[in-house]
């Protein structure tokens, strides 16, 4: 089965954005720990200024993530929100890197180590959270690495290749782990999309099977199985009328014009029945093809004269099929129709037998006419 890559990407992004939303508690905890640690720094004003920048970056990131999630869930164009997310994550890397600014010599060792641990853990968690979104993830890691290396411009003692190498190893290690996590997330999204697609295909197949199980494949009208469900429902409180419709000399049409033309005549007759029912305000669920050239209509009409008028109009339109369909100019098309009133409480088989007898009466008295059962 071919899985839609766009849907996989969409599911991966939604999973990432949901993870980012769930990480809010961890983010607030990290900010709180940094605030506590900076209280012990001699240059606390500088560090709190950097923490303020981090808070602003955090707020911008949340806004960018919400805009991207909204675009993805609503299947709108997401290129612009993605670019904004990349910028937001680049700023995240910069603000995190700046807080690794070397502290004054008299800064408590525990406070310094707390800041460094929180920053490294935050970088790792953010990278893993955005594991399946390579561009924002890598933008954050790259800006973090560049910022930490740029601190050597402020503190010359940091201009040490060994320190840069350690920073590069840490960033590459985090990226490798996050990338592996991203592959697993994408694989899970593929499985999810595939299962969803299989479920949809199965639902469609079941619906189609159910439809075909109760519908005539050629005309789309109800079949015999659908018709005989009326045995279970019976007649409504008000009487209705049952019309048995038989196309006259249909075998001659098949013999003279071919079965494909005969099929066209059957489809045209079914369409006429469907149209007439719609005009009468009834559903085509009450029209059936019994097989061959026989149709049956259950008309929600208590008035016998109105039912007779419906049948006459139907007969005239069926006789006009040859003028509606090309290639049938020489064909003789007509229908004999039998009508029977279906009384409340009457068994369906009984009214079916009477409508069938009325149809035979129409055929035996010259065809192309309507007859009503006694």
């Amino acid at each position: 089965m071919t899985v839609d890559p766009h849907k996989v990407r969409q599911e991966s992004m939604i999973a990432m954005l949901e993870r980012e939303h769930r990480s809010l508690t961890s983010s607030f905890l990290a900010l709180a720990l940094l605030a506590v640690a900076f209280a012990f720094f001699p240059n606390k004003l500088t560090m709190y200024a950097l923490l303020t920048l981090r808070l602003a970056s955090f707020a911008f990131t949340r806004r960018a993530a919400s805009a991207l999630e909204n675009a993805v869930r609503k299947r709108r164009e997401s290129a612009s929100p993605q670019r904004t997310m990349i910028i937001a994550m680049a700023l995240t890397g910069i603000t995190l890197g700046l807080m690794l600014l070397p502290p004054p010599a008299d800064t408590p060792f525990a406070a310094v180590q707390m800041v460094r641990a929180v920053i490294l853990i935050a970088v790792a968690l953010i990278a893993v959270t955005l594991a399946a979104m390579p561009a924002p993830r890598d933008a954050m890691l790259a800006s973090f690495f560049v910022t930490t290396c740029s601190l050597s411009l402020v503190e010359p003692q940091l201009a040490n290749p060994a320190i840069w190498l350690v920073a590069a190893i840490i960033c590459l290690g985090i990226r490798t782990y996050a990338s592996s996590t991203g592959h697993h997330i994408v694989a899970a999204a593929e499985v999810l999309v595939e299962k969803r697609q299989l479920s949809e295909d199965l639902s469609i197949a079941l619906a189609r099977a159910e439809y075909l199980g109760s519908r005539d494949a050629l005309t789309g009208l109800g079949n015999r199985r659908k018709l005989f469900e009326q045995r279970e429902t019976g007649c409504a409180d008000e009487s209705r009328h049952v019309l048995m419709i038989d196309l006259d000399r249909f075998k001659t049409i098949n013999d003279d014009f071919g079965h494909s033309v005969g099929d066209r005549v059957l489809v045209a007759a079914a369409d006429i029945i469907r149209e007439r029912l719609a005009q009468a305000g009834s559903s085509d669920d009450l029209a059936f093809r019994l097989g061959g050239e026989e149709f049956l209509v259950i008309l929600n009409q208590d008035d016998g004269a109105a039912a007779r008028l419906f049948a006459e109009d139907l007969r005239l339109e069926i006789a006009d099929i040859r003028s509606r369909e090309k290639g049938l100019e020489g064909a003789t098309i007509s229908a004999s129709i039998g009508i029977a009133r279906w009384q409340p409480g009457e068994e369906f088989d009984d009214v079916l037998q009477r409508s069938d007898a009325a149809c035979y009466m129409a055929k035996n008295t010259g065809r192309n006419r309507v007859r009503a059962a006694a």
Side-chain angles (χ1 to χ4, degrees), residues 302-338:
D302 180 52
D303 187 350
R308 178 68 179 249
L309 180 61
F310 178 93
E312 288 289 355
D313 290 342
L314 196 60
R315 180 185 65 80
L316 292 173
E317 288 197 46
I318 291 175
D320 194 46
I321 286 177
R322 64 179 181 178
S323 65
R324 295 172 48 165
E325 298 287 328
K326 294 182 179 180
L328 297 175
E329 291 78 7
T332 300
I333 302 172
S334 63
S336 298
I337 303 177

Side-chain angles (χ1 to χ4, degrees), residues 259-281:
H259 288 277
S260 61
V261 173
D263 288 347
R264 285 171 53 199
V265 171
L266 292 172
V267 171
D271 288 342
I272 289 170
I273 293 171
R274 193 178 288 111
E275 291 169 6
R276 292 295 303 159
L277 281 172
Q279 292 171 11

Side-chain angles (χ1 to χ4, degrees), residues 339-352:
I339 305 177
R341 181 187 293 273
W342 189 4
Q343 302 287 358
E346 183 180 13
E347 293 293 333
F348 178 71
D349 287 349
D350 294 337
V351 69
L352 183 63

Side-chain angles (χ1 to χ4, degrees), residues 6-186:
H6 176 72
K7 290 184 178 179
V8 172
R9 180 170 167 272
Q10 183 183 51
E11 290 297 332
S12 300
M13 291 182 67
I14 290 175
M16 289 299 90
L17 293 167
E18 288 178 346
R19 286 162 65 104
E20 194 274 340
H21 185 72
R22 290 195 298 268
S23 69
L24 287 177
T25 302
S26 299
S27 299
F28 286 126
L29 178 61
L31 292 170
L33 289 174
L34 289 173
V36 172
F38 289 156
F40 296 95
F41 277 51
N43 59 338
K44 58 173 62 70
L45 291 179
T46 300
M47 301 312 294
Y48 279 129
L50 295 177
L51 184 60
T52 302
L53 288 177
R54 175 70 196 114
L55 283 169
S57 172
F58 177 74
F60 180 49
T61 300
R62 283 300 311 139
R63 183 174 180 179
S66 297
L68 180 58
E69 182 176 9
N70 189 48
V72 171
R73 289 188 182 278
K74 293 184 178 180
R75 291 176 171 80
R76 296 203 304 257
E77 190 277 326
S78 61
S80 179
Q82 286 188 66
R83 287 194 294 268
T84 304
M85 189 68 180
I86 292 172
I87 295 171
M89 296 314 300
L91 291 175
T92 296
I94 292 172
T95 55
L96 288 172
L98 286 174
M99 283 188 288
L100 290 177
L101 183 71
D106 56 345
T107 306
F109 178 78
V112 173
Q113 297 308 312
M114 178 183 289
V115 170
R116 291 174 178 173
V118 170
I119 295 300
L120 290 178
I121 291 172
V123 170
L125 287 178
I126 293 171
V128 172
T129 299
L130 301 177
M133 297 175 65
R137 178 199 67 203
D138 292 346
M140 187 272 296
L141 289 172
S143 63
F144 176 75
F145 173 73
V146 171
T147 302
T148 54
C149 291
S150 299
L151 292 178
S152 61
L153 299 175
V154 180
E155 295 290 337
Q157 67 269 24
L158 294 179
N160 187 332
I163 295 177
W164 297 345
L165 178 61
V166 170
I169 291 173
I170 291 174
C171 290
L172 287 174
I174 293 174
R175 186 191 183 281
T176 300
Y177 179 76
S179 179
S180 175
T181 303
H183 289 314
H184 287 296
I185 292 171
V186 171

Side-chain angles (χ1 to χ4, degrees), residues 166-230:
V166 170
I169 291 173
I170 291 174
C171 290
L172 287 174
I174 293 174
R175 186 191 183 281
T176 300
Y177 179 76
S179 179
S180 175
T181 303
H183 289 314
H184 287 296
I185 292 171
V186 171
E190 288 178 349
V191 172
L192 177 64
V193 171
E194 184 176 1
K195 286 183 177 180
R196 186 178 296 163
Q197 188 170 327
L198 284 171
S199 178
E200 290 175 356
D201 291 345
L202 180 60
S203 296
I204 292 172
L206 289 174
R208 180 173 176 80
E210 183 178 357
Y211 177 85
L212 293 177
S214 61
R215 295 281 174 172
D216 174 60
L218 178 63
T219 64
L221 298 181
N223 57 16
R224 279 183 174 271
R225 174 186 170 185
K226 180 72 174 178
L227 170 64
F228 284 102
E229 289 178 3
Q230 296 295 332

